[in-house]
Amino acid sequence: MVIIKNVTDIQQYIKNKKALGCKAGFIPTMGALHSGHISLIEKARQDGLFTVCSIFLNPTQFNNKTDFEKYPVSVEGDIELLLNAGCEVLFLPPVSEIYPGGPEQTETYDFGYLDTILEGARRPGHFKGVGQVVARLLDIVLPHCLYLGQKDYQQCMVINKLVTMRDMKDVTVKVCPTIREADGLAMSSRNRRLTEAQRSVAGTIYQCLVSIESKQGSARFAIVRKECEDILTAKGFVPEYVALADARDLTLLPDFEAGRPMVALIAAWIGEIRLIDNVVLG
Ligand code: PAF
């Protein structure tokens, strides 16, 4: 695996690969890698692409200073995982390579409705930062495919919108399944910050999502939502939202609708840590 820290070198590397007829599969990350990230590398390799993973802890997408300061960093371990996964290129830029003129000079995008609901409403400026960094990374890597995890459902929609807004027809966005721990907890870098006691109840979020899925058609969503909020609260969470939305455009829905593609989404705090997860209703 080659580790490249500056834009000129990675662009040259990718240009050389493309001249040989290779196509890049890109996995953007903020580090603290886990099996969810590794599954994306594996998917890109299965698709026959050469894999480029970036690790860049993007300061502009954190609306909460503590979250940024406490975000887990484990570059040595990440490199080991990427080597074992057969990743070909690790792009590990400093802030000055991503935002040479400072973030204020770097283009941002307006995601409209998507930025006004759920994560957008609770984390002001978050998607602006995500759009800003992903646009910049895409311009640098110019991948054939971009791999994202479904765990960040709304982020996937925002990035899809970004690619459409920027008319990047050569980039295919592939959303891959959430990878879970044995108790259902969605893998996330932030899970590393959970205490043993918090970790022991963290699977409750997924259990609530599964119960929402199983009760569609037999109960009103408002009742199921209240049950989930009560269960989460009893386990020590502070729920932010338990929501139901159209899976295609995230229109929020007051109740289940037979025949409509739907997704259930939860965000909840356990201590200082905010966890999110979702399940597309089958
Ligand atoms: O999901 C993440 O890790 C980040 O939001 C991303 C897409 C790498 C942009 O910084």
Side-chain angles (χ1 to χ4, degrees):
M1 180 172 77
V2 289
I3 302 179
I4 301 179
K5 297 194 174 175
N6 73 69
V7 171
T8 318
D9 289 353
I10 192 158
Q11 284 179 326
Q12 189 57 53
Y13 187 97
I14 290 171
K15 201 172 160 200
N16 294 345
K17 290 290 292 188
K18 285 187 174 170
L20 296 173
C22 303
K23 291 175 173 174
F26 180 44
I27 296 95
T29 82
M30 296 204 295
L33 302 185
H34 50 70
S35 306
H37 297 114
I38 298 307
S39 74
L40 303 180
I41 307 269
E42 283 163 1
K43 178 74 176 95
R45 295 191 67 205
Q46 281 158 17
D47 288 348
L49 307 182
F50 77 96
T51 47
V52 180
C53 175
S54 64
I55 296 182
F56 178 66
L57 190 51
N58 175 35
T60 71
Q61 70 185 75
F62 286 84
N63 59 310
N64 177 323
K65 197 167 167 262
T66 315
D67 190 28
F68 179 55
E69 286 167 357
K70 296 206 170 160
Y71 200 86
V73 175
S74 56
V75 181
E76 295 298 307
D78 292 349
I79 291 173
E80 190 71 29
L81 284 174
L82 291 172
L83 275 171
N84 291 338
C87 180
E88 183 164 333
V89 186
L90 168 58
F91 182 41
L92 192 61
V95 175
S96 57
E97 287 289 311
I98 298 297
Y99 302 124
E104 312 74 32
Q105 304 304 317
T106 310
E107 199 167 356
T108 57
Y109 301 84
D110 181 357
F111 298 106
Y113 169 74
L114 279 178
D115 203 13
T116 64
I117 52 154
L118 306 172
E119 294 302 290
R122 268 75 178 193
R123 302 186 63 191
H126 169 61
F127 286 133
K128 191 171 152 204
V130 169
Q132 183 180 45
V133 76
V134 173
R136 178 83 180 110
L137 290 167
L138 286 176
D139 286 346
I140 295 167
V141 177
L142 295 175
H144 180 64
C145 286
L146 170 68
Y147 294 85
L148 301 169
Q150 191 202 303
K151 197 212 112 209
D152 298 299
Y153 196 91
Q154 194 171 357
Q155 170 170 280
C156 294
M157 297 199 78
V158 161
I159 294 176
N160 255 312
K161 185 161 182 180
L162 176 78
V163 167
T164 307
M165 279 160 72
R166 302 182 84 228
D167 206 18
M168 301 185 87
K169 291 200 180 66
D170 296 338
V171 181
T172 303
V173 178
K174 293 203 175 183
V175 177
C176 303
T178 303
I179 305 298
R180 301 184 178 282
E181 304 283 359
D183 65 348
L185 174 66
M187 297 226 179
S188 163
S189 304
R190 288 184 179 87
N191 294 352
R192 295 191 191 190
R193 294 186 54 211
L194 297 171
T195 63
E196 217 173 292
Q198 290 166 342
R199 174 65 194 85
S200 71
V201 294
T204 311
I205 295 184
Y206 180 64
Q207 286 144 27
C208 286
L209 288 164
V210 170
S211 96
I212 296 173
E213 182 173 36
S214 71
K215 289 178 181 164
Q216 59 170 325
S218 66
R220 306 298 300 264
F221 178 64
I223 307 286
V224 187
R225 176 186 4 226
K226 177 78 174 60
E227 277 170 17
C228 291
E229 286 168 351
D230 290 348
I231 291 168
L232 287 165
T233 307
K235 295 269 182 175
F237 287 88
V238 178
E240 254 190 13
Y241 59 76
V242 175
L244 182 68
D246 187 302
R248 298 160 299 187
D249 56 13
L250 277 193
T251 300
L252 294 174
L253 302 173
D255 208 347
F256 299 112
E257 284 183 35
R260 188 167 188 167
M262 290 177 289
V263 56
L265 309 102
I266 293 182
W269 290 88
I270 181 96
E272 273 190 356
I273 300 145
R274 186 173 181 279
L275 299 175
I276 61 169
D277 198 357
N278 65 82
V279 161
V280 173
L281 305 192

mmCIF file of all heavy atoms in Angstrom, residues 226-251:
data_model
loop_
_atom_site.group_PDB
_atom_site.id
_atom_site.type_symbol
_atom_site.label_atom_id
_atom_site.label_comp_id
_atom_site.label_asym_id
_atom_site.label_seq_id
_atom_site.Cartn_x
_atom_site.Cartn_y
_atom_site.Cartn_z
ATOM 1 N N LYS A 226 -43.391 6.042 20.493
ATOM 2 C CA LYS A 226 -43.424 6.295 21.947
ATOM 3 C C LYS A 226 -42.824 5.105 22.710
ATOM 4 O O LYS A 226 -42.039 5.290 23.651
ATOM 5 C CB LYS A 226 -44.878 6.568 22.358
ATOM 6 C CG LYS A 226 -45.101 6.773 23.836
ATOM 7 C CD LYS A 226 -44.690 8.181 24.264
ATOM 8 C CE LYS A 226 -45.024 8.524 25.711
ATOM 9 N NZ LYS A 226 -44.422 7.703 26.723
ATOM 10 N N GLU A 227 -43.168 3.895 22.260
ATOM 11 C CA GLU A 227 -42.597 2.695 22.904
ATOM 12 C C GLU A 227 -41.072 2.719 22.810
ATOM 13 O O GLU A 227 -40.382 2.459 23.797
ATOM 14 C CB GLU A 227 -43.072 1.423 22.164
ATOM 15 C CG GLU A 227 -44.439 0.917 22.572
ATOM 16 C CD GLU A 227 -44.934 -0.191 21.612
ATOM 17 O OE1 GLU A 227 -44.129 -0.778 20.846
ATOM 18 O OE2 GLU A 227 -46.145 -0.430 21.639
ATOM 19 N N CYS A 228 -40.574 3.033 21.619
ATOM 20 C CA CYS A 228 -39.111 3.066 21.418
ATOM 21 C C CYS A 228 -38.473 4.141 22.297
ATOM 22 O O CYS A 228 -37.434 3.902 22.936
ATOM 23 C CB CYS A 228 -38.762 3.340 19.956
ATOM 24 S SG CYS A 228 -39.190 1.973 18.872
ATOM 25 N N GLU A 229 -39.086 5.319 22.328
ATOM 26 C CA GLU A 229 -38.522 6.398 23.155
ATOM 27 C C GLU A 229 -38.474 5.966 24.615
ATOM 28 O O GLU A 229 -37.493 6.220 25.327
ATOM 29 C CB GLU A 229 -39.359 7.677 22.999
ATOM 30 C CG GLU A 229 -39.128 8.355 21.659
ATOM 31 C CD GLU A 229 -40.142 9.456 21.338
ATOM 32 O OE1 GLU A 229 -41.150 9.602 22.089
ATOM 33 O OE2 GLU A 229 -39.939 10.135 20.318
ATOM 34 N N ASP A 230 -39.539 5.290 25.068
ATOM 35 C CA ASP A 230 -39.592 4.846 26.472
ATOM 36 C C ASP A 230 -38.526 3.787 26.755
ATOM 37 O O ASP A 230 -37.861 3.826 27.796
ATOM 38 C CB ASP A 230 -40.984 4.284 26.807
ATOM 39 C CG ASP A 230 -42.039 5.400 26.838
ATOM 40 O OD1 ASP A 230 -41.629 6.586 26.838
ATOM 41 O OD2 ASP A 230 -43.247 5.092 26.846
ATOM 42 N N ILE A 231 -38.368 2.845 25.797
ATOM 43 C CA ILE A 231 -37.358 1.774 25.989
ATOM 44 C C ILE A 231 -35.961 2.400 26.043
ATOM 45 O O ILE A 231 -35.149 2.090 26.912
ATOM 46 C CB ILE A 231 -37.450 0.735 24.844
ATOM 47 C CG1 ILE A 231 -38.742 -0.064 24.955
ATOM 48 C CG2 ILE A 231 -36.238 -0.205 24.843
ATOM 49 C CD1 ILE A 231 -39.093 -0.909 23.730
ATOM 50 N N LEU A 232 -35.707 3.308 25.099
ATOM 51 C CA LEU A 232 -34.384 3.936 25.053
ATOM 52 C C LEU A 232 -34.118 4.723 26.342
ATOM 53 O O LEU A 232 -33.041 4.623 26.940
ATOM 54 C CB LEU A 232 -34.276 4.859 23.827
ATOM 55 C CG LEU A 232 -34.151 4.140 22.476
ATOM 56 C CD1 LEU A 232 -34.410 5.087 21.308
ATOM 57 C CD2 LEU A 232 -32.766 3.498 22.325
ATOM 58 N N THR A 233 -35.119 5.470 26.775
ATOM 59 C CA THR A 233 -34.957 6.278 27.984
ATOM 60 C C THR A 233 -34.702 5.375 29.194
ATOM 61 O O THR A 233 -33.818 5.652 30.020
ATOM 62 C CB THR A 233 -36.213 7.152 28.207
ATOM 63 O OG1 THR A 233 -36.449 7.880 27.004
ATOM 64 C CG2 THR A 233 -36.030 8.125 29.359
ATOM 65 N N ALA A 234 -35.441 4.263 29.270
ATOM 66 C CA ALA A 234 -35.274 3.333 30.398
ATOM 67 C C ALA A 234 -33.860 2.740 30.425
ATOM 68 O O ALA A 234 -33.342 2.401 31.485
ATOM 69 C CB ALA A 234 -36.312 2.217 30.305
ATOM 70 N N LYS A 235 -33.244 2.638 29.266
ATOM 71 C CA LYS A 235 -31.878 2.073 29.200
ATOM 72 C C LYS A 235 -30.805 3.152 29.397
ATOM 73 O O LYS A 235 -29.615 2.865 29.260
ATOM 74 C CB LYS A 235 -31.656 1.391 27.846
ATOM 75 C CG LYS A 235 -32.538 0.185 27.614
ATOM 76 C CD LYS A 235 -31.879 -1.082 28.084
ATOM 77 C CE LYS A 235 -32.788 -2.268 27.778
ATOM 78 N NZ LYS A 235 -32.179 -3.530 28.085
ATOM 79 N N GLY A 236 -31.236 4.387 29.596
ATOM 80 C CA GLY A 236 -30.261 5.440 29.874
ATOM 81 C C GLY A 236 -29.928 6.340 28.688
ATOM 82 O O GLY A 236 -29.048 7.188 28.779
ATOM 83 N N PHE A 237 -30.633 6.162 27.581
ATOM 84 C CA PHE A 237 -30.416 7.039 26.424
ATOM 85 C C PHE A 237 -31.225 8.326 26.566
ATOM 86 O O PHE A 237 -32.249 8.356 27.257
ATOM 87 C CB PHE A 237 -30.917 6.363 25.136
ATOM 88 C CG PHE A 237 -30.065 5.233 24.639
ATOM 89 C CD1 PHE A 237 -30.280 3.936 25.099
ATOM 90 C CD2 PHE A 237 -29.069 5.454 23.701
ATOM 91 C CE1 PHE A 237 -29.502 2.884 24.626
ATOM 92 C CE2 PHE A 237 -28.291 4.410 23.228
ATOM 93 C CZ PHE A 237 -28.510 3.123 23.690
ATOM 94 N N VAL A 238 -30.791 9.341 25.851
ATOM 95 C CA VAL A 238 -31.648 10.507 25.639
ATOM 96 C C VAL A 238 -31.947 10.514 24.135
ATOM 97 O O VAL A 238 -31.084 10.887 23.325
ATOM 98 C CB VAL A 238 -30.955 11.824 26.072
ATOM 99 C CG1 VAL A 238 -31.854 13.013 25.781
ATOM 100 C CG2 VAL A 238 -30.576 11.767 27.538
ATOM 101 N N PRO A 239 -33.162 10.051 23.750
ATOM 102 C CA PRO A 239 -33.455 9.987 22.311
ATOM 103 C C PRO A 239 -33.599 11.380 21.713
ATOM 104 O O PRO A 239 -34.169 12.262 22.345
ATOM 105 C CB PRO A 239 -34.800 9.246 22.244
ATOM 106 C CG PRO A 239 -35.125 8.799 23.627
ATOM 107 C CD PRO A 239 -34.266 9.553 24.585
ATOM 108 N N GLU A 240 -33.034 11.568 20.516
ATOM 109 C CA GLU A 240 -33.212 12.852 19.810
ATOM 110 C C GLU A 240 -34.357 12.734 18.826
ATOM 111 O O GLU A 240 -35.182 13.623 18.716
ATOM 112 C CB GLU A 240 -31.933 13.245 19.083
ATOM 113 C CG GLU A 240 -31.225 14.360 19.775
ATOM 114 C CD GLU A 240 -30.092 14.948 18.975
ATOM 115 O OE1 GLU A 240 -29.954 14.688 17.767
ATOM 116 O OE2 GLU A 240 -29.318 15.683 19.602
ATOM 117 N N TYR A 241 -34.338 11.668 18.065
ATOM 118 C CA TYR A 241 -35.502 11.400 17.212
ATOM 119 C C TYR A 241 -35.645 9.914 16.956
ATOM 120 O O TYR A 241 -34.670 9.166 16.936
ATOM 121 C CB TYR A 241 -35.454 12.184 15.888
ATOM 122 C CG TYR A 241 -34.254 11.919 14.998
ATOM 123 C CD1 TYR A 241 -34.154 10.752 14.227
ATOM 124 C CD2 TYR A 241 -33.234 12.851 14.899
ATOM 125 C CE1 TYR A 241 -33.066 10.525 13.400
ATOM 126 C CE2 TYR A 241 -32.132 12.627 14.073
ATOM 127 C CZ TYR A 241 -32.053 11.457 13.331
ATOM 128 O OH TYR A 241 -30.966 11.220 12.521
ATOM 129 N N VAL A 242 -36.914 9.521 16.814
ATOM 130 C CA VAL A 242 -37.273 8.190 16.309
ATOM 131 C C VAL A 242 -38.207 8.550 15.159
ATOM 132 O O VAL A 242 -39.303 9.070 15.388
ATOM 133 C CB VAL A 242 -38.012 7.350 17.376
ATOM 134 C CG1 VAL A 242 -38.473 6.020 16.783
ATOM 135 C CG2 VAL A 242 -37.119 7.112 18.604
ATOM 136 N N ALA A 243 -37.739 8.360 13.927
ATOM 137 C CA ALA A 243 -38.474 8.933 12.793
ATOM 138 C C ALA A 243 -38.745 7.894 11.721
ATOM 139 O O ALA A 243 -38.054 6.878 11.620
ATOM 140 C CB ALA A 243 -37.671 10.090 12.193
ATOM 141 N N LEU A 244 -39.757 8.208 10.933
ATOM 142 C CA LEU A 244 -40.125 7.369 9.798
ATOM 143 C C LEU A 244 -40.113 8.290 8.576
ATOM 144 O O LEU A 244 -40.643 9.413 8.629
ATOM 145 C CB LEU A 244 -41.533 6.815 10.035
ATOM 146 C CG LEU A 244 -42.103 5.874 8.978
ATOM 147 C CD1 LEU A 244 -41.328 4.546 8.965
ATOM 148 C CD2 LEU A 244 -43.588 5.597 9.274
ATOM 149 N N ALA A 245 -39.512 7.814 7.496
ATOM 150 C CA ALA A 245 -39.418 8.685 6.320
ATOM 151 C C ALA A 245 -39.497 7.861 5.044
ATOM 152 O O ALA A 245 -39.276 6.644 5.054
ATOM 153 C CB ALA A 245 -38.100 9.459 6.340
ATOM 154 N N ASP A 246 -39.815 8.563 3.973
ATOM 155 C CA ASP A 246 -39.783 7.933 2.655
ATOM 156 C C ASP A 246 -38.314 7.608 2.346
ATOM 157 O O ASP A 246 -37.444 8.473 2.464
ATOM 158 C CB ASP A 246 -40.347 8.909 1.607
ATOM 159 C CG ASP A 246 -40.503 8.236 0.253
ATOM 160 O OD1 ASP A 246 -39.485 7.742 -0.280
ATOM 161 O OD2 ASP A 246 -41.629 8.189 -0.272
ATOM 162 N N ALA A 247 -38.055 6.344 1.974
ATOM 163 C CA ALA A 247 -36.668 5.908 1.774
ATOM 164 C C ALA A 247 -36.019 6.576 0.573
ATOM 165 O O ALA A 247 -34.796 6.593 0.458
ATOM 166 C CB ALA A 247 -36.632 4.393 1.615
ATOM 167 N N ARG A 248 -36.830 7.152 -0.344
ATOM 168 C CA ARG A 248 -36.252 7.732 -1.561
ATOM 169 C C ARG A 248 -35.831 9.178 -1.407
ATOM 170 O O ARG A 248 -34.853 9.612 -1.992
ATOM 171 C CB ARG A 248 -37.264 7.619 -2.717
ATOM 172 C CG ARG A 248 -37.609 6.191 -3.072
ATOM 173 C CD ARG A 248 -38.888 6.099 -3.829
ATOM 174 N NE ARG A 248 -40.020 6.613 -3.051
ATOM 175 C CZ ARG A 248 -41.288 6.536 -3.426
ATOM 176 N NH1 ARG A 248 -41.595 5.966 -4.573
ATOM 177 N NH2 ARG A 248 -42.252 7.019 -2.671
ATOM 178 N N ASP A 249 -36.601 9.934 -0.587
ATOM 179 C CA ASP A 249 -36.277 11.366 -0.503
ATOM 180 C C ASP A 249 -36.306 11.911 0.924
ATOM 181 O O ASP A 249 -36.162 13.097 1.148
ATOM 182 C CB ASP A 249 -37.244 12.172 -1.382
ATOM 183 C CG ASP A 249 -38.702 11.908 -1.005
ATOM 184 O OD1 ASP A 249 -38.946 11.311 0.073
ATOM 185 O OD2 ASP A 249 -39.597 12.284 -1.780
ATOM 186 N N LEU A 250 -36.515 11.021 1.885
ATOM 187 C CA LEU A 250 -36.553 11.363 3.316
ATOM 188 C C LEU A 250 -37.705 12.303 3.701
ATOM 189 O O LEU A 250 -37.614 12.983 4.720
ATOM 190 C CB LEU A 250 -35.216 11.937 3.791
ATOM 191 C CG LEU A 250 -34.117 10.939 4.174
ATOM 192 C CD1 LEU A 250 -32.992 11.646 4.925
ATOM 193 C CD2 LEU A 250 -34.617 9.784 5.025
ATOM 194 N N THR A 251 -38.768 12.315 2.925
ATOM 195 C CA THR A 251 -39.979 13.013 3.366
ATOM 196 C C THR A 251 -40.429 12.359 4.669
ATOM 197 O O THR A 251 -40.607 11.131 4.721
ATOM 198 C CB THR A 251 -41.114 12.847 2.323
ATOM 199 O OG1 THR A 251 -40.658 13.402 1.103
ATOM 200 C CG2 THR A 251 -42.398 13.532 2.765
#
